[in-house]
Structure formats: C-alpha cells, structure tokens
Amino acid sequence: CSASSNKPVLTLFTKKPCPLCDEAKEVLEPYKRRFILQEVDITLPENSAWYDKYKYDIPVFHLNGKFLMKHQVDIQKFEDQLMKLELQND
C-alpha cells in the first residue's frame, strides 16, 4: 500500500537515559500508526549540531523536518499538525 510512504515523519531528538522521552513516546502510542517515528540520539558524534541546539530541551519533536514541540507532548498541537499533513496527502 503506497499510503504508508506518505506518512508524516515525527523525529524525536533524544539521549539515554531520557525518562521524559519515554513518557512522550507513551503519550504518542495511540497515534503511532499515523506517523513514522525517527529517533535521533543527540549524543552521537554525527549529531553534535543537534546536541548543541537541544541538550537542555529534550525531548524535542520535529514533524516532517519542522520544529513542533519540546519538553513534553502537546497532544492538541500534535493532532492539529498531523491532521493538516494528512489532509495535504489525500
């Protein structure tokens, strides 16, 4: 099914350990069939630019490459943005 390739990509900037990230992923669980979750470990050398930017702010979420939210999931904002992208893809 080609629809899956059109799913929005939710990027989670994270590091280990990150209890807030785990919490955020739990909150997003009911939506997980509607997006592709991509996790970026900011402590990896190739992600040092993200580390400098987000080391005090994780979890940080980008939706389709655009900043969406940080620290915790704003479910209303997430739903709104997800819906917008889904409507664009139809």
Side-chain angles (χ1 to χ4, degrees), residues 19-90:
L20 285 175
C21 302
D22 297 337
E23 210 172 286
K25 284 192 280 192
E26 273 175 41
V27 174
L28 293 167
E29 186 72 20
Y31 300 91
K32 74 170 193 255
R33 291 207 306 285
R34 292 170 59 191
F35 64 88
I36 295 158
L37 181 66
Q38 182 184 37
E39 292 189 41
V40 175
D41 183 340
I42 63 170
T43 62
L44 297 176
E46 65 269 24
N47 296 328
S48 61
W50 292 118
Y51 180 80
D52 294 341
K53 193 169 180 175
Y54 291 145
K55 59 186 166 206
Y56 302 119
D57 287 321
I58 60 163
V60 175
F61 292 93
H62 285 194
L63 191 57
N64 278 5
K66 286 205 204 86
F67 175 81
L68 181 64
M69 55 197 173
K70 64 183 181 184
H71 301 152
Q72 61 197 38
V73 174
D74 177 339
I75 211 70
Q76 196 56 58
K77 187 176 194 179
F78 174 69
E79 270 187 46
D80 291 348
Q81 294 302 319
L82 191 59
M83 193 73 83
K84 259 187 210 148
L85 289 169
E86 287 170 342
L87 291 171
Q88 283 170 15
N89 284 338
D90 282 350

